[in-house]
Amino acid sequence: MKPYLREKKNFGFSDIPESTSFEAGYLVSVNSGWRSIRPVVNMEKCVGCMQCYLYCPDGVISVENKKAVIDYNFCKGCGICHKICKLNAIEMEAER
Amino acid sequence: MAKKFLSGDEAFAEGVRLARPQVISAYPITPQTIVVERLSEMVENGSLKSEFIHVESEHSALSCAIGASAVGARAFTATSSQGLLYMAECLPYASGGRFPIVMMNANRSTALPWNIYGDQRDSISQLDSGWIQAYAENAQEGLDFALMSYYIAEHKDVSTPFMVNLDGFVLTHTYETVDIPIQELADKFLPPYETDNKLDLENPKNMAFSAGPEHNYIFKYKEHKALLNAKKIIKDAEKRFADIFGRKYTGLLETYRTEDADYILITLGSIAGLCREIADKLRAKGKKTGVVRLRYLRPFPTEEIVTAVKNAKAVGVLEKDISFGSEGTVFTNVNSALFQGGIVIPSYNFIGGLGGKNISHEDIENIFYLIENGAERVNFVGIEGGD
């Protein structure tokens, strides 16, 4: 199962675990605020080969209906998926 | 209980054997080497069932211990001086992750000039790393700390790594008669480590995650509370220790003839014995002198210092440390305690023993003389008035 965002605001003292360990896959806040360029998948070119999925250092790419899907809540915009795609199916576009 | 004639390193290794760590990872460095050698021999001859991991550096030694602790194992490492500084990056990983690793540090000078002898500048430079810090006076206390440190570190209200410091050579390489408890009693004192803070296939967890500005400070506040909680757990551990082994300890600090003392010398580590001897000698001459030995620097014994020195006319702090451009760090901490306790008396700092320089009988007599008659705020033992 892919971790998903369970956004939680206003954490109280007792909501925070004693140590840095908690239920696996529990993400409480987005982490992509410094992204300046974003990868955009061209669905017509993408063949779902999963190379980008393998190379993504943040694990934010999944494959749905045989096409790459990027989780922009956690993508840092590094561009490795763009670099690795042999079909040039991923373009980096400026964040606005 | 068996009596053996052991060095501080060897005694500490005996204490570690009794604590049954499941993983030991360490890299040798003088004057810590012997504790690691003895432990590797114990693992080799089967008298200690433990995974001994040979690593290529101190950075890896502590990283291994963190990994072991993160699967719920009891872990041990040991180092000294530059080795501790090489570990420095990993120290807050261990404390922030709340992994109750025990480390023995053989207090040794830091380069340059390069030097293998004892002073306390290595560990004191890491006071803010989030680790509990204790300082032994003799080999027996070292062995006993090895057992007690695990009890305190692993207690659920603490869950914090523990650094036990032994003065390089003066303790690590000096032989004395040491009582070694029997394993059965050690097991009674120290139950196996149990924690939920571990990687577990039955209960999958996200370990050692990040926390941004929104939540990070709460984790740090909890770390601080855990160190403060340790004050009570240290007391509990010492009571339990006395009940089982018959040896008593006095918590965060130990006082000697301070009740009616006018002039009190506050110090830590192996030099305390000589300070007490001089206090006795001066008492015989009619001077009301006393000694406070700090057993812990973190958590810091603020209230205990206030209680111990509240009727004194002046105090001195003798430490093997200097924070260049300021003063000895122990002195800074003691002055903060005096201020918090509303105690307005002269306090003087004596920096001694750097790079293993001997602190003599005469030096300590002179320190008591200066506490009584006034001195510079910060004084280097052996350097009279500078140039």
Side-chain angles (χ1 to χ4, degrees):
Chain A
M1 187 195 78
K2 191 169 163 289
Y4 62 96
L5 185 65
R6 281 174 269 194
E7 203 154 4
K8 188 165 178 181
K9 299 277 183 199
N10 305 318
F11 263 88
F13 186 79
S14 57
D15 297 319
I16 298 283
E18 278 302 317
S19 52
T20 49
S21 67
F22 199 66
E23 182 185 331
Y26 206 106
L27 301 168
V28 296
S29 57
V30 298
N31 192 3
S32 57
W34 62 83
R35 189 178 60 228
S36 60
I37 47 174
R38 64 159 60 196
V40 176
V41 181
N42 181 330
M43 292 302 176
E44 291 186 354
K45 288 187 183 174
C46 178
V47 297
C49 72
M50 297 178 82
Q51 284 295 304
C52 57
Y53 161 88
L54 289 173
Y55 275 91
C56 175
D58 254 314
V60 302
I61 300 179
S62 54
V63 175
E64 287 169 27
N65 300 323
K66 297 185 177 174
K67 304 282 178 188
V69 175
I70 293 160
D71 183 349
Y72 292 110
N73 276 332
F74 296 95
C75 167
K76 309 298 185 296
C78 69
I80 287 176
C81 54
H82 160 71
K83 200 96 179 163
I84 205 69
C85 182
K86 290 187 170 121
L87 297 165
N88 296 321
I90 302 177
E91 288 300 329
M92 301 305 290
E93 293 181 4
E95 289 287 347
R96 279 180 288 272
Chain B
M1 212 169 278
K3 279 191 194 298
K4 278 192 183 174
F5 192 56
L6 297 176
S7 70
D9 274 344
E10 289 172 336
F12 203 91
E14 291 290 346
V16 172
R17 169 158 57 186
L18 291 170
R20 299 184 190 267
Q22 288 141 313
V23 176
I24 299 167
S25 55
Y27 189 84
I29 178 171
T30 304
Q32 156 265 34
T33 310
I34 295 163
V35 69
V36 180
E37 281 177 0
R38 293 296 170 272
L39 286 168
S40 68
E41 286 164 13
M42 291 169 186
V43 172
E44 179 70 17
N45 69 26
S47 63
L48 170 58
K49 302 242 177 305
S50 185
E51 197 66 44
F52 194 103
I53 304 177
H54 298 274
V55 290
E56 82 289 3
S57 76
E58 286 86 356
H59 193 281
S60 303
L62 185 51
S63 299
C64 271
I66 291 169
S69 193
V71 294
R74 181 172 287 161
F76 177 75
T77 188
T79 190
S80 179
S81 182
Q82 306 297 134
L84 179 67
L85 300 182
Y86 194 16
M87 277 182 184
E89 190 201 358
C90 306
L91 291 173
Y93 271 89
S95 52
R98 309 291 294 277
F99 299 122
I101 297 156
V102 168
M103 176 197 316
M104 192 205 93
N105 180 60
N107 279 127
R108 170 185 145 178
S109 172
T110 50
L112 281 168
W114 188 81
N115 179 304
I116 60 168
Y117 297 99
D119 71 38
Q120 294 153 343
R121 289 184 21 78
D122 53 357
S123 57
I124 290 177
S125 79
Q126 300 305 315
L127 273 186
D128 293 351
S129 65
W131 285 55
I132 295 169
Q133 276 203 15
Y135 291 77
E137 183 184 342
N138 52 50
Q140 183 71 62
E141 193 180 19
L143 185 152
D144 295 347
F145 264 137
L147 273 173
M148 266 187 286
S149 57
Y150 277 108
Y151 182 87
I152 297 158
E154 291 173 359
H155 193 284
K156 64 176 175 42
D157 293 346
V158 180
S159 269
T160 295
F162 196 125
M163 186 192 302
V164 184
N165 293 281
L166 273 70
D167 280 317
F169 291 102
V170 178
L171 289 186
T172 59
H173 285 59
T174 303
Y175 281 71
E176 62 181 86
T177 306
V178 176
D179 266 336
I180 302 173
I182 58 168
Q183 186 68 59
E184 199 185 341
L185 289 182
D187 290 345
K188 192 176 160 197
F189 174 77
L190 184 65
Y193 176 43
E194 279 175 23
T195 181
D196 294 330
N197 183 23
K198 64 176 177 186
L199 293 169
D200 181 354
L201 288 174
E202 302 302 316
N203 183 21
K205 284 194 167 177
N206 180 2
M207 298 285 295
F209 46 68
S210 54
E214 197 185 348
H215 310 122
N216 197 289
Y217 71 105
I218 303 178
F219 287 94
K220 296 296 134 188
Y221 181 73
K222 290 201 174 194
E223 263 186 83
H224 177 56
K225 293 298 267 190
L227 262 286
L228 296 179
N229 290 344
K231 291 184 179 189
K232 180 183 177 295
I233 308 307
I234 287 164
K235 274 187 196 152
D236 295 350
E238 288 177 355
K239 185 177 181 305
R240 187 180 166 92
F241 195 88
D243 289 346
I244 294 176
F245 303 110
R247 262 192 304 285
K248 289 185 178 146
Y249 288 99
T250 55
L252 300 181
L253 56 71
E254 181 182 69
T255 58
Y256 185 72
R257 303 185 83 164
T258 52
E259 294 77 12
D260 64 339
D262 292 331
Y263 306 107
I264 295 175
L265 181 55
I266 300 169
T267 192
L268 66 163
S270 58
I271 196 66
L274 187 58
C275 296
R276 289 196 298 269
E277 217 173 283
I278 303 301
D280 282 345
K281 189 175 163 187
L282 295 173
R283 285 255 173 188
K285 291 180 184 170
K287 302 278 186 197
K288 287 186 175 173
T289 48
V291 175
V292 171
R293 177 172 72 93
L294 306 178
R295 297 183 66 241
Y296 284 83
L297 288 188
R298 290 292 180 273
F300 193 72
T302 302
E303 296 84 7
E304 292 79 359
I305 288 172
V306 169
T307 305
V309 309
K310 65 177 188 293
N311 296 320
K313 290 179 180 164
V315 296
V317 174
L318 170 61
E319 61 187 298
K320 299 174 179 177
D321 171 61
I322 171 74
S323 180
F324 300 117
S326 178
E327 57 195 15
T329 297
V330 181
F331 184 58
T332 307
N333 281 253
V334 167
N335 279 328
S336 168
L338 298 183
F339 184 80
Q340 289 176 63
I343 297 174
V344 187
I345 52 173
S347 64
Y348 306 105
N349 196 191
F350 300 94
I351 313 294
L354 297 184
K357 172 86 167 117
N358 184 48
I359 301 171
S360 71
H361 225 266
E362 292 75 26
D363 288 335
I364 293 171
E365 272 198 65
N366 190 42
I367 286 170
F368 273 114
Y369 175 85
L370 292 171
I371 295 171
E372 182 178 349
N373 295 290
E376 300 288 323
R377 181 177 167 82
V378 179
N379 308 271
F380 276 67
V381 175
I383 299 180
E384 301 297 339
D387 50 14

